Amino acid sequence: MTLFHFFNCAILTFGPHAVYYSATPLSEYDTLGTSVKAAVVYLATALVKLVCLATFLQVSETEVFDPYQEALKAMIGFIDVAGLYYALAQLTHRNISQNHKFQAVGLGWAFADSVLHRLAPLWVGARGLEFTWDYVLQGLEANANLVFTISLAALGSLMWLRKNKPKSLIPIIYTCAVIIATMPSITSYLKRVNGWHFPKIVGFELATSLVMAFISCQLFILCQRPSL
Amino acid sequence: MAEEKKSKQRHRVMVFESMYPILALMLILVACVELCDAATVVDVYRLIQYDISGVPFGSRFSSLNHHAASLSFQRGADLSRSVLILPLRELDIAFVQDYISQKQSLGGLLILLPQTFRPGNVGGGSLSSENDGFRSLLGQLEKLLVHGNIPFPVYFAFENEETDAMLADVKKNDALGQQATATTGGYKLVISVSEPRKIASPTITNIQGWLPGLRAEGDSSQLPTIAVVASYDTFGAAPALSVGSDSNGSGVVALLEVARLFSVLYSNPKTRGKYNLLFALTSGGPYNYEGTQKWLKSLDQRMRESIDYAICLNSVGSWDSELLIHVSKPPDNAYIKQIFEGFSNVAEDLGFQVALKHKKINISNSRVAWEHEQFSRLRVTAATLSELSTPPELLENAGSLSDTRQLVNEDAIIKGVKLVAESLAKHIYGHQGKDIKIFADDSSLAVNPFYVRSWLDLLSQTPRVAPFLSKNEPLIMALKKELEDYTAEVSVQHESLDGSFTFYDSTKASLNIYQVASVTFDLLLLLVLGSYLIVLFSFLVITTRGLDDLISLFRRPPSRKVKMG
């Protein structure tokens, strides 16, 4: 593979973030500052997660799926939810509507995640001579991750920023939020116990992200009706 | 407003500050991981490159950077930028011969050898008939490559899972007509080595050991001497694989064992003979025994004149029931007759035969086929003991790729050692005609099979092409130390190889195998990604702003034109 392939994979990985920003009304409401703040919060959260993983997690020699270790990893993964809460609820945002706020936060969060997790492997691997489908699949996974993050931000916005939501929807909101937050553990389980390969996992992530996006969108719309 | 600007600047500074460590980390990662870029790395061994009096031979290039091709390619296809992969199992010698003789252009040649030909692979004796076929085929191929002038890189490698998988893929693609090029992807083979350089003043090293005989009191005359000589260096198509187990590893092992046996006898004054024993391990064997010639000339004249006869050991490791004694003097010569009778009597006792083979020396011909001819040219009685019935041609039978450990039979070497040792002993102690066995199997002077096996295993793993050996080569030091253990007055002689032979370095390399994608594939991928982003953009605009806004995006330019007008 060549630099050309690197550009292709980079477009697939980071292009949707730019497209989302320019296509939606976010670009007209000056939400870039919010996205940048969310990215900074993401970096801090990633650092805290790294310290917790290094402190509490035991690296096993074998690749056996350890339920205790996986549960611990999922609990550490909830630090992401705490970080997202901070980005949504605690940061001061200048006169941005709730509708745009969660999208800006989700977008910044997902972009920072892609840069931190995928840019270095992409630069190192996609420019090498050896061709593999891994980097194309990683780009697709970044797309799924973007959808997941915006969905989680939408649900977080409903949970923490909207007070008068219908009571019948609250369990659904929390269930979907938990599913999205534990998605890394779910994919890890599918990979190790069920023996799924990377292409299958990426397909599963894409399908699940679309379903979650649809459900989150519907929940958001339903929660907005009483205010109308 | 001023406060807002200040806060913006602070945010930017924060962002930049946090970005710097990440960038540094990425750069470090790039630097570290760049080194392990290839998916598969295979050790390859280069075909030798040499000149004889300025005439070029062997493979004349070393670096490789081409796509892989197999024998399934379309007839008439241009292979000037392809590396042809030839497994020995499917080799068609006529095809290679045509390609070389017609000076066809080729990007490179990679010959895959079965694992049984790997040096040091003792292995089981299974499938010996199949290996014999491969051995014969490899011999023909080697002869063709060594004596040709090949204008492309030629490398040998051993089959493994990666090479087999790659070859299967390449064959499939070639059969479909999708030859690997820059636009169709495939496998790319890369060997990054510098241009081969001439080896300046290659050296050959001779090792000599001396067992002095028992001199009677008051006798001032020179004691007669018997010399046992073996050449230890090799020559093969791939210098890094040229171990020469039989030619002449077996001869070296036999000489060392004979030296060990006689050192036991000569260490006791009661059993010391009245002959001096001279053991020599010579180099330059493939090049007309040039090392032997220089060693003989360096000998003191009185020493050389005292040589009663010399026995040269050459390829005694894979015979069954007959050995040959090659001589240059007429068979009816009294000395030759005496030597032959001594050997044939001992052989008869041991249960096999020796035959006499006479080959007259053509003085005007510079070719020296047997080591003993160097002695005969100086009027010293000498003979070569060998399993070969015909003299080898120049640079042949001197440690080829097929001359591996599996080819050599320890029992054959042991029988050869007994033959030489008993014959020498009868000559030294005057036991001609008597039925006395000095080196019987159950005596303290028995031939040690473990000694033979361990030295044979060592030599079977050590390439020994003389121009590529340094003066302090570990093997040469080991041979010298071994002779020091068994003989007195060990001396090492360094000589320069004749100017008519020129050798080039770069005998071993690493082959990187990349599975590459084509530019066409990346162009298609770019189109797909572009379409995806366009569809994504449209979808997002429709869902967030409505269809009217999407349509209005494409109507703005006409409205602007109207405004301008």
Side-chain angles (χ1 to χ4, degrees):
Chain A
M1 300 194 304
T2 55
L3 205 59
F4 191 10
H5 192 71
F6 166 75
F7 280 126
N8 277 343
C9 294
I11 286 168
L12 179 59
T13 304
F14 303 109
H17 300 85
V19 164
Y20 190 97
Y21 183 81
S22 59
T24 57
L26 292 179
S27 55
E28 298 177 5
Y29 288 90
D30 193 18
T31 55
L32 189 60
T34 303
S35 295
V36 169
K37 287 179 189 176
V40 173
V41 173
Y42 172 81
L43 294 179
T45 307
L47 183 61
V48 172
K49 273 178 63 181
L50 191 65
V51 171
C52 289
L53 287 171
T55 305
F56 301 115
L57 210 63
Q58 295 175 6
V59 181
S60 61
E61 296 296 329
T62 61
E63 283 292 318
V64 180
F65 183 82
D66 189 355
Y68 172 72
Q69 295 286 315
E70 285 299 323
L72 198 62
K73 202 180 292 183
M75 284 165 58
I76 294 174
F78 274 100
I79 296 174
D80 274 332
V81 179
L84 206 57
Y85 167 78
Y86 182 83
L88 278 168
Q90 299 299 322
L91 291 181
T92 55
H93 303 290
R94 288 184 308 102
N95 197 23
I96 301 175
S97 72
Q98 198 177 92
N99 195 350
H100 301 133
K101 181 192 285 185
F102 84 84
Q103 292 184 67
V105 166
L107 188 63
W109 190 276
F111 184 78
D113 179 74
S114 287
V115 168
L116 197 65
H117 282 94
R118 294 174 225 280
L119 185 58
L122 200 59
W123 177 254
V124 170
R127 291 183 314 114
L129 266 176
E130 178 73 15
F131 171 78
T132 58
W133 286 101
D134 289 352
Y135 302 103
V136 175
L137 294 172
Q138 274 191 31
L140 293 175
E141 196 181 33
N143 282 241
N145 190 60
L146 172 61
V147 178
F148 273 133
T149 306
I150 294 181
S151 302
L152 186 60
L155 296 173
S157 175
L158 294 181
M159 286 188 290
W160 303 313
L161 302 184
R162 177 168 289 275
K163 303 302 178 184
N164 55 341
K165 43 184 176 289
K167 291 193 175 181
S168 60
L169 296 180
I170 293 175
I172 302 177
I173 292 170
Y174 277 91
T175 303
C176 293
V178 167
I179 289 173
I180 297 176
T182 56
M183 188 52 63
S185 295
I186 293 170
T187 53
S188 175
Y189 175 86
L190 293 173
K191 179 163 64 175
R192 295 189 182 180
V193 178
N194 285 18
W196 282 20
H197 292 298
F198 196 40
K200 205 167 181 182
I201 286 179
V202 170
F204 171 77
E205 283 177 343
L206 284 168
T208 308
S209 65
L210 291 178
V211 170
M212 285 296 153
F214 180 75
I215 294 174
S216 303
C217 184
Q218 293 301 310
L219 289 171
F220 204 86
I221 291 171
L222 288 175
C223 290
Q224 273 186 328
R225 281 182 181 178
S227 63
L228 290 176
Chain B
M1 288 297 290
E3 288 178 359
E4 288 176 359
K5 287 184 179 178
K6 286 181 182 178
S7 64
K8 282 186 181 178
Q9 287 176 359
R10 286 175 187 171
H11 287 310
R12 288 176 185 172
V13 169
M14 286 173 60
V15 170
F16 286 140
E17 283 176 357
S18 64
M19 286 294 287
Y20 287 148
I22 295 173
L23 285 176
L25 183 63
M26 285 175 184
L27 289 175
I28 293 171
L29 279 175
V30 168
C32 291
V33 187
E34 196 73 41
L35 295 177
C36 43
D37 199 15
T40 304
V41 181
V42 178
D43 286 330
V44 289
Y45 308 91
R46 187 169 169 257
L47 175 64
I48 193 165
Q49 178 184 357
Y50 66 105
D51 304 337
I52 303 183
S53 305
V55 180
F57 289 98
S59 170
R60 310 303 299 184
F61 293 96
S62 60
S63 63
L64 204 63
N65 190 0
H66 293 301
H67 288 270
S70 72
L71 278 172
S72 309
F73 67 92
Q74 309 284 321
R75 292 290 161 176
D78 179 25
L79 293 179
S80 60
R81 284 181 295 165
S82 297
V83 179
L84 190 58
I85 304 176
L86 279 185
L88 187 70
R89 300 179 187 277
E90 308 165 18
L91 194 76
D92 181 8
I93 197 75
F95 167 80
V96 181
Q97 194 154 17
D98 287 349
Y99 233 85
I100 293 178
S101 59
Q102 295 171 16
K103 298 291 181 184
Q104 298 263 12
S105 187
L106 194 58
L109 186 59
L110 177 66
I111 299 168
L112 297 181
L113 305 173
Q115 283 281 345
T116 52
F117 290 109
R118 182 183 285 275
N121 185 356
V122 179
S126 63
L127 299 175
S128 61
S129 59
E130 189 188 34
N131 280 336
D132 285 351
F134 288 151
R135 211 175 290 275
S136 168
L137 190 60
L138 184 53
Q140 297 177 59
L141 175 69
E142 197 165 0
K143 190 171 178 176
L144 201 63
L145 295 174
V146 164
H147 294 295
N149 177 9
I150 300 170
F152 47 83
V154 179
Y155 283 93
F156 297 89
F158 292 103
E159 297 170 339
N160 56 28
E161 290 172 1
E162 284 109 4
T163 57
D164 289 348
M166 178 207 20
L167 185 57
D169 266 3
V170 172
K171 278 181 185 174
K172 189 171 58 175
N173 285 337
D174 286 359
L176 293 173
Q178 304 175 17
Q179 199 176 334
T181 57
T183 55
T184 58
Y187 285 89
K188 177 170 262 197
L189 309 184
V190 178
I191 298 177
S192 308
V193 288
S194 57
E195 202 63 24
R197 293 180 300 265
K198 280 187 183 181
I199 296 179
S201 65
T203 58
I204 47 180
T205 304
N206 300 317
I207 312 166
Q208 166 191 309
W210 170 255
L211 273 178
L214 183 66
R215 184 185 298 271
E217 292 180 8
D219 189 355
S220 62
S221 64
Q222 178 80 31
L223 286 180
T225 301
I226 298 174
V228 185
V229 186
S231 180
Y232 69 85
D233 68 321
T234 59
F235 182 92
L241 294 177
S242 188
V243 294
S245 297
D246 196 15
S247 302
N248 194 25
S250 59
V252 172
V253 170
L255 183 140
L256 292 176
E257 179 64 2
V258 170
R260 189 186 71 82
L261 293 173
F262 275 94
S263 75
V264 176
L265 284 171
Y266 272 49
S267 64
N268 190 335
K270 293 180 180 177
T271 53
R272 184 179 293 178
K274 292 177 182 174
Y275 280 79
N276 301 315
L277 286 175
L278 183 60
F279 298 97
L281 289 165
T282 58
S283 189
Y287 326 107
N288 295 318
Y289 294 97
E290 189 178 327
T292 310
Q293 181 193 42
K294 291 196 157 121
W295 170 69
L296 280 172
K297 286 183 176 177
S298 75
L299 281 183
D300 184 65
Q301 187 176 344
R302 287 172 58 250
M303 161 92 71
R304 190 165 67 230
E305 286 171 359
S306 74
I307 296 179
D308 215 35
Y309 65 93
I311 297 294
C312 306
L313 306 174
N314 185 333
S315 308
V316 294
S318 57
W319 56 285
D320 186 36
S321 61
E322 190 187 50
L323 272 175
L324 292 127
I325 298 180
H326 298 269
V327 293
S328 300
K329 290 188 175 180
D332 53 3
N333 182 276
Y335 293 115
I336 298 297
K337 207 181 288 186
Q338 185 189 25
I339 294 169
F340 176 65
E341 281 179 5
F343 273 86
S344 62
N345 289 338
V346 174
E348 193 176 334
D349 291 341
L350 293 171
F352 56 88
Q353 293 182 31
V354 293
L356 194 66
K357 198 104 178 183
H358 172 247
K359 173 181 174 294
K360 192 186 289 184
I361 293 178
N362 187 354
I363 299 294
S364 61
N365 190 355
S366 64
R367 173 62 186 150
V368 180
W370 297 111
E371 188 162 24
H372 73 268
E373 290 181 14
Q374 292 286 12
F375 290 84
S376 299
R377 286 165 186 253
L378 297 175
R379 307 204 180 280
V380 177
T381 304
T384 293
L385 186 70
S386 176
E387 73 208 5
L388 307 175
S389 56
T390 56
E393 296 297 329
L394 180 67
L395 303 176
E396 288 179 18
N397 271 111
S400 60
L401 294 177
S402 56
D403 189 349
T404 55
R405 177 67 177 85
Q406 298 181 15
L407 191 65
V408 180
N409 187 0
E410 291 162 25
D411 292 336
I413 298 180
I414 291 170
K415 285 195 289 184
V417 169
K418 284 186 199 173
L419 174 70
V420 173
E422 290 281 359
S423 303
L424 291 183
K426 285 183 188 301
H427 191 90
I428 291 168
Y429 300 108
H431 294 150
Q432 301 286 358
K434 298 176 184 177
D435 190 17
I436 296 175
K437 281 198 172 66
I438 295 177
F439 306 99
D441 277 339
D442 50 355
S443 70
S444 62
L445 290 171
V447 177
N448 188 343
F450 303 107
Y451 184 85
V452 168
R453 183 180 304 128
S454 62
W455 267 102
L456 188 62
D457 287 346
L458 174 67
L459 292 168
S460 299
Q461 297 176 47
T462 313
R464 305 188 294 282
V465 181
F468 304 101
L469 303 180
S470 64
K471 286 185 179 179
N472 300 314
E473 190 77 12
L475 178 73
I476 295 176
M477 295 297 110
L479 292 172
K480 172 172 176 285
K481 184 181 182 306
E482 199 70 12
L483 280 187
E484 280 171 353
D485 287 347
Y486 301 135
T487 63
E489 303 176 33
V490 172
S491 62
V492 175
Q493 176 201 15
H494 298 293
E495 297 282 348
S496 288
L497 195 57
D498 195 322
S500 61
F501 284 92
T502 307
F503 291 89
Y504 295 79
D505 61 5
S506 178
T507 60
K508 198 175 178 181
S510 289
L511 169 72
N512 296 294
I513 303 176
Y514 301 101
Q515 187 175 7
V516 295
S518 62
V519 173
T520 309
F521 167 78
D522 274 318
L523 284 170
L524 284 174
L525 187 63
L526 184 63
L527 280 178
V528 170
L529 294 180
S531 306
Y532 165 66
L533 292 182
I534 289 169
V535 169
L536 183 67
F537 183 89
S538 305
F539 172 78
L540 288 172
V541 168
I542 291 170
T543 54
T544 58
R545 307 196 200 189
L547 186 60
D548 294 339
D549 279 22
L550 179 64
I551 294 172
S552 68
L553 283 179
F554 301 102
R555 286 187 175 180
R556 282 178 188 174
S559 64
R560 287 181 183 176
K561 287 183 179 178
V562 169
K563 288 179 182 178
M564 290 290 290

Short mmCIF file of all heavy atoms in Angstrom, two decimals, chain B residues 8 19 30 205 265 425 489 518 522 543 554:
data_model
loop_
_atom_site.label_atom_id
_atom_site.label_comp_id
_atom_site.label_asym_id
_atom_site.label_seq_id
_atom_site.Cartn_x
_atom_site.Cartn_y
_atom_site.Cartn_z
N LYS B 8 -10.86 32.80 23.68
CA LYS B 8 -10.60 31.96 22.51
C LYS B 8 -9.12 31.64 22.38
O LYS B 8 -8.72 30.50 22.13
CB LYS B 8 -11.09 32.67 21.24
CG LYS B 8 -12.59 32.61 21.04
CD LYS B 8 -12.97 33.21 19.70
CE LYS B 8 -14.48 33.17 19.49
NZ LYS B 8 -14.87 33.79 18.21
N MET B 19 -1.72 19.04 22.15
CA MET B 19 -1.44 18.30 20.92
C MET B 19 0.03 17.91 20.80
O MET B 19 0.36 16.88 20.22
CB MET B 19 -1.84 19.14 19.70
CG MET B 19 -3.33 19.23 19.49
SD MET B 19 -4.04 17.64 19.05
CE MET B 19 -3.47 17.46 17.39
N VAL B 30 6.07 6.17 14.71
CA VAL B 30 6.39 6.02 13.30
C VAL B 30 7.82 5.53 13.14
O VAL B 30 8.10 4.59 12.40
CB VAL B 30 6.18 7.36 12.57
CG1 VAL B 30 6.77 7.31 11.18
CG2 VAL B 30 4.71 7.69 12.50
N THR B 205 44.20 -20.85 3.14
CA THR B 205 44.95 -21.17 4.35
C THR B 205 45.19 -22.67 4.40
O THR B 205 44.24 -23.45 4.32
CB THR B 205 44.15 -20.74 5.60
OG1 THR B 205 43.86 -19.35 5.47
CG2 THR B 205 44.96 -20.98 6.85
N LEU B 265 49.77 -44.07 18.53
CA LEU B 265 50.90 -44.96 18.29
C LEU B 265 52.24 -44.25 18.47
O LEU B 265 53.16 -44.75 19.09
CB LEU B 265 50.82 -45.54 16.87
CG LEU B 265 49.79 -46.65 16.65
CD1 LEU B 265 49.66 -46.96 15.17
CD2 LEU B 265 50.18 -47.90 17.42
N ALA B 425 50.10 -48.45 8.34
CA ALA B 425 50.77 -49.18 9.41
C ALA B 425 51.58 -50.35 8.86
O ALA B 425 52.70 -50.61 9.30
CB ALA B 425 49.73 -49.66 10.42
N GLU B 489 54.43 -29.66 16.01
CA GLU B 489 54.85 -28.67 15.01
C GLU B 489 53.74 -28.38 14.00
O GLU B 489 53.89 -28.60 12.82
CB GLU B 489 56.10 -29.16 14.28
CG GLU B 489 57.26 -29.45 15.20
CD GLU B 489 58.44 -30.02 14.43
OE1 GLU B 489 58.62 -29.63 13.27
OE2 GLU B 489 59.15 -30.85 15.00
N SER B 518 -3.15 -2.66 -5.88
CA SER B 518 -2.83 -1.95 -7.10
C SER B 518 -3.32 -0.51 -7.01
O SER B 518 -4.17 -0.17 -6.18
CB SER B 518 -3.50 -2.64 -8.29
OG SER B 518 -4.90 -2.58 -8.12
N ASP B 522 -6.90 1.38 -5.49
CA ASP B 522 -7.00 2.58 -4.67
C ASP B 522 -7.85 3.65 -5.34
O ASP B 522 -8.57 4.40 -4.68
CB ASP B 522 -5.60 3.11 -4.36
CG ASP B 522 -5.00 2.45 -3.14
OD1 ASP B 522 -5.75 2.26 -2.16
OD2 ASP B 522 -3.82 2.09 -3.17
N THR B 543 -32.08 15.45 6.27
CA THR B 543 -32.69 15.11 7.56
C THR B 543 -32.65 16.26 8.54
O THR B 543 -33.47 16.33 9.45
CB THR B 543 -31.98 13.91 8.18
OG1 THR B 543 -30.58 14.20 8.25
CG2 THR B 543 -32.20 12.66 7.35
N PHE B 554 -27.74 23.91 -4.93
CA PHE B 554 -27.35 23.86 -6.33
C PHE B 554 -27.96 24.98 -7.14
O PHE B 554 -27.64 25.15 -8.31
CB PHE B 554 -27.76 22.52 -6.93
CG PHE B 554 -27.14 21.37 -6.23
CD1 PHE B 554 -27.89 20.62 -5.33
CD2 PHE B 554 -25.81 21.03 -6.43
CE1 PHE B 554 -27.33 19.56 -4.66
CE2 PHE B 554 -25.25 19.97 -5.76
CZ PHE B 554 -26.00 19.23 -4.87
#
